[in-house]
Amino acid sequence: MTDKVPGSKKNDTKDRENTHYFCPVYKYPKRNDRYLIFRAWLKADGAAGAIKYSHQVKPPQNWKLKGVSLLCCKE
């Protein structure tokens, strides 16, 4: 018997962790907690024509290892 409940917030977060990257969004280029505004879930698919991922590194982990983040701008 599985403990998955459809629509459960806990299961949604777990599923999202496997397919999305929890990307930090900063106010200034210096990346630290002081300038962190929020985090956003971004779908972590490979780009068209991108190199295939190895079995050890999944797309969300790939972006985290590369240190990808977003930077806000007023312009």
Side-chain angles (χ1 to χ4, degrees):
M1 187 168 164
T2 62
D3 59 335
K4 285 193 172 187
V5 177
S8 170
K9 190 172 187 177
K10 183 177 179 181
N11 290 332
D12 290 344
T13 303
K14 188 69 173 171
D15 292 339
R16 198 178 278 177
E17 288 175 358
N18 294 328
T19 58
H20 291 70
Y21 170 55
F22 200 43
C23 183
V25 180
Y26 293 99
K27 187 173 183 178
Y28 299 111
K30 186 169 183 168
R31 298 191 286 178
N32 60 27
D33 289 341
R34 185 176 184 178
Y35 302 124
L36 178 68
I37 300 172
F38 62 94
R39 293 180 176 264
W41 287 105
L42 301 178
K43 190 168 182 180
D45 282 341
I51 299 171
K52 299 246 181 195
Y53 295 101
S54 69
H55 295 290
Q56 297 173 353
V57 179
K58 294 180 182 177
Q61 293 173 343
N62 180 42
W63 296 116
K64 186 170 186 170
L65 290 171
K66 290 181 179 183
V68 173
S69 65
L70 297 176
L71 182 63
C72 288
C73 181
K74 291 183 179 181
E75 298 174 7

